[in-house]
Every structure is written in structure tokens, then in C-alpha cells.
Amino acid sequence: MKTKVLWIQGLACNGNAHSFLTYSKLEQFLDDFEFIYHPIIDSKFTLSDIVNNFCECEILLIEGSIADDYKRSHKSIVEIIKLYAPHVKKIVTVGTCATFGGIFKDSPYENSSGFLYLEKEKIDKFLEYEDKVISVSGCPVHPEVLVNTLYMIKDKLELPIDTFHRPKEFFSFTVHNGCTRNEYFEYKVDNHNFGEKEGCMFYDHGCQAPFTNGSCNKILWNEVNSKTRVGQPCMGCTEPEFPRINLYETKKNMGIPQYLPFGVPKRAYLTLSGVAKAFKISRLEEELF
Ligand code: SF4
Ligand code: SF4
């Protein structure tokens, strides 16, 4: 039997809805799930139907940040969520805006935030539904991570979550894990031009992957690629503070990056980087030029 799913949008750019459309096995997905409403895919009900009457569904997907005075089809987004949240089995926040507030947390709308969080801070807007929440952050959401999460819910599989309700299956390691540039990271060789195949982008170009949870280098986008593989730094889009300013710059204090890889104390970093710098691996340096 198809699982009924409702996809509603708060303050959003449609990016997650579009990203979802790139899922390579979408037809198969639609054999197993039915959208009672989706902003782009043909669905059973109109937006006006679903905001004015409760239409039966099992999973509520929320895209975009939620502001007290923001409306869809003349109804407050908060009221729409409260119409469905008590009845569904799970609430999935799709993308970073719905999870942490994202770029819209600075919008002129009132109290714009994620569903449970404003950046790292837990808020009480929908706290009573906390037990149902699964967060799939990302800007945009990784379609395969979203779909696999939905299948895990449908198949009633165990779904351990981290402190921000993100499934550990996809968020318990960093984007640095699986990057093809790890050897350059180890020996502190940065790359010098965007788009180059060689070099690590942590030391000068702002790559946030060592402190960003996600599976972009383990589950490739469109099954072929990731940002860091094409020579673009990870911007940390799955994390509460996204977006930071100066995305392509590594902020440093006395030559030491301000943000260090998760779990690496500053003292250990200094020791390791001192040792790594002592090596001049000509094979790695030469590949850059
Ligand atoms: S480019 Fe980024 S993800 Fe790749 S090795 Fe360097 S820090 Fe890690
Ligand atoms: S590589 Fe980084 S910025 Fe790009 S989608 Fe993955 S987590 Fe987001």
C-alpha cells in the first residue's frame, strides 16, 4: 500500500522540492508513496484543499523556515502545521531552513526559525511534537538521503538520530569522509584555483567539510559527484549556523584555522600540522602546477 505524504512549504525558495525531483528512481518512489499534496508534482488535493481541511496522511514533510505571520493560501503556516502535526506518524523537516532557520532566519517575517531549532537553540514553537521529528538538513536536501529516510520510516526500521534529530545513518560522519582530496589535507597542500582536481581546500579556501555532518562524499549527488570532487569547497550547508559569511575564505587566528575538524583539540592540531608541514611531498606539490 502507498504511504500518504504531505509536502508543505513555509518560507522557501523551492530548492528542496527541485532537488527531490532529481532523485534518479522517482518513478519507483511514486509507486510506494503518494503525495496528497506537493508543490510541483501532480497531487490529489490542491493547496487550498489541504490548508482548509485535514486530508489524511501519514508523514508530514516541511520545507522552508516557519514564521508566525507567514501564510499559505491565506492561512498561517503555524496553523496549517498544527492541523496535521497531531495526526501524522512522523514529521520530516526537509532542508536546513526547516531544520535550523537557514537563510530566512534573517527575513523580515516574525520569529522565523526551523521547526525545533533556531540555529543550535531549541525553541518551543512545536516542542510538543518533538518525538515525531526527523530532520534531514542540507541546502538543498540530498535527494537520496531524504528518500532513504522516508523508506526507513515506511518500513518501520530503527532510525537512530543525533542531537538535532538527523538520522545517524547519514549524518554521523563528516563530508570530509570520502573526499578524494584527503591526502592533500593530511600533508597541508591547499589547491590554488577553483575547479582544479588537486589540493585540499581547507587551509585557504574555506572548506567546511571537516566540521560538517553529511554524506555528500559517500552518497554522491546524482550518483556521480560532490562539491569537493569538482573543486568547490563544502559550505557547511547541513549545519545549524549555515550560511556563514565569507564562504570561500578560511578564517584564521595567527595562521591557525578558526574552526578545526570535529573532535580535534587545538593543541593536537598544532602538533599534527607541524609534523605534516615538515614533509615536502613533491608528488603532491607538483600535481598542482
Ligand atoms: S577539500 Fe574539504 S573535504 Fe576534501 S579533504 Fe580538503 S577539507 Fe576535506
Ligand atoms: S558538500 Fe557541503 S555544502 Fe555541498 S551539499 Fe554537501 S554538506 Fe552541503
Side-chain angles (χ1 to χ4, degrees):
M1 207 160 95
K2 289 191 184 189
T3 302
K4 290 189 173 154
V5 185
L6 167 58
W7 182 305
I8 56 166
Q9 290 175 314
L11 280 158
C13 68
N14 261 345
N16 297 293
H18 279 273
S19 180
F20 171 68
L21 291 187
T22 68
Y23 178 59
S24 59
K25 300 179 192 81
L26 191 57
E27 278 184 22
Q28 187 186 324
F29 177 86
L30 294 173
D31 285 340
D32 295 327
F33 292 83
E34 177 193 351
F35 282 109
I36 64 161
Y37 174 78
H38 183 281
I40 301 174
I41 298 171
D42 273 346
S43 31
K44 189 171 176 183
F45 298 109
T46 64
L47 181 60
S48 167
D49 293 333
I50 63 123
V51 307
N52 290 311
N53 308 288
F54 174 76
C55 302
E56 204 194 312
C57 59
E58 289 156 67
I59 305 174
L60 172 62
L61 300 178
I62 301 171
E63 172 183 13
S65 40
I66 301 147
D68 294 351
D69 56 345
Y70 186 70
K71 293 183 177 170
R72 301 297 294 195
S73 199
H74 310 293
K75 192 159 186 178
S76 137
I77 186 69
V78 175
E79 275 181 58
I80 300 169
I81 289 171
K82 288 194 169 165
L83 180 63
Y84 286 91
H87 307 293
V88 293
K89 288 191 187 128
K90 288 284 178 201
I91 298 167
V92 179
T93 62
V94 179
T96 295
C97 293
T99 305
F100 300 116
I103 198 156
F104 293 105
K105 60 186 173 245
D106 292 325
S107 77
Y109 286 93
E110 261 176 53
N111 296 325
S112 181
S113 69
F115 189 80
L116 286 179
Y117 298 94
L118 177 58
E119 297 199 350
K120 281 184 170 165
E121 191 192 331
K122 196 173 268 182
I123 51 173
D124 59 7
K125 228 181 250 185
F126 299 109
L127 215 45
E128 68 229 78
Y129 309 117
E130 186 180 3
D131 290 349
K132 297 183 178 189
V133 177
I134 305 290
S135 299
V136 189
S137 58
C139 186
V141 73
H142 192 312
E144 207 163 322
V145 171
L146 175 62
V147 167
N148 287 342
T149 301
L150 292 176
Y151 272 105
M152 288 172 88
I153 294 171
K154 179 182 174 70
D155 296 339
K156 300 189 176 67
L157 300 180
E158 210 184 322
L159 194 48
I161 51 174
D162 69 10
T163 42
F164 296 119
H165 288 244
R166 299 177 296 194
K168 285 187 176 172
E169 179 79 16
F170 311 110
F171 290 91
S172 63
F173 33 80
T174 67
V175 174
H176 175 68
N177 193 328
C179 177
T180 49
R181 297 164 191 267
N182 281 0
E183 197 178 17
Y184 298 95
F185 177 85
E186 284 158 23
Y187 292 106
K188 297 198 73 176
V189 181
D190 200 307
N191 87 331
H192 300 281
N193 288 302
F194 289 121
E196 278 183 349
K197 274 200 210 140
E198 297 84 12
C200 165
M201 296 169 277
F202 176 71
Y203 300 101
D204 291 320
H205 292 84
C207 185
Q208 297 182 32
F211 44 91
T212 296
N213 291 90
S215 8
C216 297
N217 274 314
K218 287 167 83 97
I219 304 175
L220 298 179
W221 286 71
N222 296 324
E223 299 176 357
V224 288
N225 226 331
S226 72
K227 277 196 186 73
T228 63
R229 288 180 188 220
V230 292
Q232 146 118 20
C234 166
M235 299 185 286
C237 78
T238 58
E239 293 300 305
E241 298 90 354
F242 179 81
R244 295 177 196 219
I245 53 168
N246 298 332
L247 286 173
Y248 298 133
E249 194 184 292
T250 302
K251 283 187 204 143
K252 295 177 196 166
N253 297 326
M254 302 186 51
I256 306 162
Q258 184 179 358
Y259 301 104
L260 295 177
F262 277 149
V264 178
K266 201 170 257 179
R267 188 183 289 261
Y269 176 83
L270 283 173
T271 310
L272 284 172
S273 62
V275 173
K277 248 189 158 174
F279 288 96
K280 264 264 177 244
I281 314 281
S282 52
R283 174 176 56 82
L284 298 179
E285 301 277 353
E286 279 161 13
E287 280 174 357
L288 288 168
F289 302 102

